[in-house]
Amino acid sequence: MTGTATRYLHLVRHGEASPDESGLTEGGRQQAILLGQRLQNIPFAAVHHGPLPRAEQTARLIGDQLKNVPLHLSEAAGDYVPYMPERDELPTESADFFLRFLDGATAEEREHGPALARQALDLFTGPVDGEKDRHELIVTHNFLVAWLVRDAMHAPKWRWLGLNHGNAALTVIRYAPGRPASVLFSNDMRHLPAELRWTGFPPEFHI
């Protein structure tokens, strides 16, 4: 069934994580709180988050700033490799670089990641049923944000590679009935002060 109302999907990469990834740094907690304050007036139906501590903590800190919005744990919102390309799918000049990047993926990740990625597309994309537009927030990781942006742009499946997002940066995709998906904005950090922007990127990108 084709949806009859518009879905606005708000995508957030978790706040800055501690070196051991057991949770957020103080800066990461502040990032999450500031993002939650920015989102206070959006009528979210739900906040979905992945199972890892850095995503769960970010979602709870954002949720504390919202008004009675339920939080839902979702494995499909987790951290995984969404698609493993073959060499002949990749641009010749960058194939070696991307394949080296993916070389560390385990057999389990190679098997289960693509299945979760397909599940994420089923759960989180496309228009919704009913007459009322729906706003949803996913607190997740860089790979899934990149995968969903790639899908919205109808780009090749391998093109999730090379799309990067800062910690607590906001991306919004609109799925309107009868229209192609539209990335309204991506990697938006306007809610963060300069010292909290661009974490998750190499130093040369801190602008």
Side-chain angles (χ1 to χ4, degrees), residues 45-51 59 69-75 77 124 136-137 139:
V47 175
H48 308 277
H49 64 84
V69 180
L71 272 61
H72 299 293
L73 173 64
S74 172
E75 190 177 2
F124 302 133
E136 294 176 277
L137 176 64
V139 180

Side-chain angles (χ1 to χ4, degrees), residues 5 28-29 91 106-107 124 136 139 142 147 174 178:
R29 289 189 287 272
T106 66
F124 302 133
E136 294 176 277
V139 180
N142 187 62
W147 174 250
R174 179 181 62 201

